[in-house]
């Protein structure tokens, strides 16, 4: 495993880390504690030291599983946790001092720590970035010693740019072969402010595994079934906002032109790491064997200029319109 400095936090994080949205279960399936612990152990043994979670993941079970796992790890691991999606309705006015403080205190309880390594607002409505209360509250929680760092998880590049007005340490943003816009200007802006970048949804909900066909179906409770048109949350979360049929065509072309064989997923992760501004990429895993495949990406050779051009060409051909203009 290779490591990169995580912006102004000064923590060196594993290039390939673990997003815990699927920890202990596939999307929509019951949580399995033993699978969760086995997956966390496999990640740590592979050199992963950064874990991304949220208070809503498996209704807190993800955080509680992490608490059990990290209790003897000390400062060897870094846990980033998101808050805000417990709001119902999920509206800008809910991101007030009372609610944010309560969310942070609940996370402290779930994770069984005295201070949270990193707190991210969990894709708040755009209006939140223009009302400083949420960020001033996080400043105060930092002064109070309840959090060490804070930042945002965003849907749109414009939100990430606006967040740089505040004292953030990191931004979590969708960046992958089907979502190239963050690299156009935001990455340089973040680097100038010494803000770490967490690349999320790196495989476009599995499209960039290259394993899907036009006939592929998903479980009835899987967000790849339930949120294709933004029914539950932002449409860009599912398949990175790409129409499924078009995404399959684009992935097939990438696989062929890159000569990826059965390694398109690993190549997709390696592509993300070509951006120096990216601190870490957080593919999910529900089983230990998926960890092995994910971390192998860090050892792949760097993309050639020709390969980088192929990715851009496929993006321009299939994905740019409308994805570039929405997110």
């Amino acid at each position: 495993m290779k490591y990169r400095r995580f912006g102004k936090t000064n923590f060196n994080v594993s290039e390939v880390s673990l997003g815990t949205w699927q920890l202990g279960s596939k999307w929509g399936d019951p949580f399995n504690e033993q699978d969760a612990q086995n997956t966390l152990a496999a990640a740590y043994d592979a050199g992963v030291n950064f874990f991304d979670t949220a208070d809503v993941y498996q209704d807190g079970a993800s955080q509680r599983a992490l608490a059990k796992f990290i209790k003897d790890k000390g400062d060897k691991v870094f846990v980033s946790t998101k808050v805000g999606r417990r709001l119902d309705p999920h509206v800008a006015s809910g991101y007030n001092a009372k609610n944010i403080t309560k969310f942070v205190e609940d996370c402290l309880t779930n994770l069984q720590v005295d201070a949270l390594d990193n707190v991210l607002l969990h894709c708040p409505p755009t209006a939140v970035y223009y009302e400083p209360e949420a960020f001033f509250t996080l400043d105060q929680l930092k002064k109070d010693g309840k959090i060490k760092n804070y930042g945002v998880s965003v849907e749109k590049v414009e939100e990430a740019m606006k967040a740089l007005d505040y004292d953030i340490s990191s931004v979590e943003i969708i960046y992958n072969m089907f979502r190239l816009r963050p690299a156009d200007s935001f990455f340089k802006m973040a680097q100038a402010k010494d803000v770490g970048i967490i690349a999320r949804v790196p495989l476009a909900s599995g499209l960039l595994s290259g394993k899907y066909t036009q006939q592929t179906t998903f479980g009835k409770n899987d967000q790849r079934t339930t949120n294709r048109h933004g029914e539950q949350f932002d449409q860009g979360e599912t398949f990175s906002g790409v129409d499924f049929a078009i995404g399959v065509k684009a992935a097939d072309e990438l696989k062929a032109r890159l000569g990826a064989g059965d390694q398109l997923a690993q190549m997709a992760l390696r592509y993300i790491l070509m951006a120096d501004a990216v601190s870490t990429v957080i593919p999910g895993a529900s089983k230990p064997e998926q960890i092995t495949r994910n971390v192998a990406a860090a050892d792949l050779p760097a993309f050639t200029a020709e390969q980088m051009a192929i990715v851009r060409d496929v993006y321009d051909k299939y994905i740019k319109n409308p994805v570039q203009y929405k997110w």
Side-chain angles (χ1 to χ4, degrees):
M1 180 63 69
K2 300 179 182 70
Y3 298 85
R4 299 186 180 193
R5 180 174 169 274
F6 188 38
K8 64 183 70 170
T9 72
N10 281 321
F11 191 90
N12 289 319
V13 298
S14 44
E15 285 187 338
V16 179
S17 296
L18 180 63
T20 63
W21 190 359
Q22 302 176 64
L23 184 69
S25 64
K26 294 180 180 179
W27 280 313
D29 289 350
F31 184 79
N32 184 302
E33 177 68 30
Q34 191 57 56
D35 281 349
Q37 293 301 320
N38 291 343
T39 302
L40 291 169
Y44 185 76
D45 290 345
V48 171
N49 68 354
F50 181 93
F51 300 90
D52 173 85
T53 188
D55 54 3
V56 292
Y57 289 174
Q58 291 89 16
D59 196 28
S62 169
Q63 288 184 334
R64 291 188 290 273
L66 267 168
K68 183 184 297 185
F69 182 75
I70 67 173
K71 64 181 179 180
D72 61 345
K73 302 295 188 295
D75 59 1
K76 295 179 181 178
V77 298
F78 190 105
V79 176
S80 181
T81 191
K82 298 187 285 291
V83 301
R85 294 311 290 257
R86 285 197 176 279
L87 292 171
D88 187 15
H90 185 238
V91 294
S93 60
Y95 282 82
N96 55 55
K98 179 181 177 181
N99 287 339
I100 291 173
T101 301
K102 177 65 164 58
F103 294 151
V104 165
E105 289 174 347
D106 287 347
C107 290
L108 288 168
T109 299
N110 280 348
L111 286 165
Q112 298 177 29
V113 294
D114 295 326
L116 301 174
D117 291 331
N118 195 44
V119 172
L120 302 177
L121 299 182
H122 199 170
C123 300
T126 302
V128 170
Y129 299 90
Y130 293 86
E131 296 292 339
E133 181 180 2
F135 298 94
F136 289 174
T137 299
L138 291 166
D139 285 332
Q140 186 60 51
L141 289 167
K142 190 173 178 180
K143 290 177 183 176
D144 294 342
K146 293 184 178 181
I147 66 176
K148 299 176 184 178
N149 304 278
Y150 73 82
V152 292
S153 182
V154 303
E155 299 290 1
K156 300 177 180 179
V157 171
E158 285 80 7
E159 294 167 346
M161 291 177 173
K162 180 60 179 171
L164 294 174
D165 285 347
Y166 304 99
D167 189 27
I168 62 171
S169 297
S170 59
V171 170
E172 186 174 284
I173 191 167
I174 298 177
Y175 176 62
N176 58 50
M177 287 175 165
F178 287 170
R179 189 74 80 84
L180 301 186
R181 189 175 168 222
D184 290 347
S185 56
F186 169 67
F187 282 0
K188 289 182 180 179
M189 295 172 65
Q191 284 181 304
K193 295 263 188 156
D194 201 17
V195 168
I197 293 176
I198 308 163
R200 68 188 188 96
V201 196
L203 301 181
S205 307
L207 271 176
L208 287 166
S209 69
K211 296 179 179 179
Y212 295 169
T213 70
Q214 301 294 351
Q215 289 71 45
T216 300
T217 59
F218 306 94
K220 66 177 182 178
N221 295 320
D222 192 308
Q223 59 98 2
R224 291 169 291 188
T225 298
T226 59
N227 193 60
R228 286 201 184 189
H229 305 290
E231 297 93 333
Q232 294 178 296
F233 36 80
D234 192 278
Q235 185 180 356
E237 296 277 349
T238 304
F239 305 128
S240 295
V242 178
D243 174 82
F244 181 75
I246 292 173
V248 170
K249 289 181 182 178
D252 286 346
E253 184 164 326
L254 279 172
K255 185 161 59 173
R257 293 177 64 183
L258 291 173
D262 61 358
Q263 283 194 311
L264 183 61
Q266 288 92 337
M267 291 190 73
L269 297 176
R270 184 65 183 89
Y271 174 84
I272 292 169
L273 295 173
M274 290 296 293
D276 292 340
V278 170
S279 307
T280 187
V281 57
I282 52 168
S286 57
K287 299 287 185 181
E289 52 268 27
Q290 294 169 332
I291 295 293
T292 304
R293 293 196 295 268
N294 290 341
V295 299
D299 294 325
L300 291 180
F303 271 54
T304 65
E306 181 182 4
Q307 288 174 316
M308 295 293 285
I310 288 170
V311 175
R312 176 63 70 169
D313 184 57
V314 171
Y315 175 82
D316 288 346
K317 179 179 178 181
Y318 292 100
I319 309 298
K320 185 174 182 178
N321 183 18
V323 169
Q324 175 92 359
Y325 308 104
K326 287 188 175 182
W327 292 283

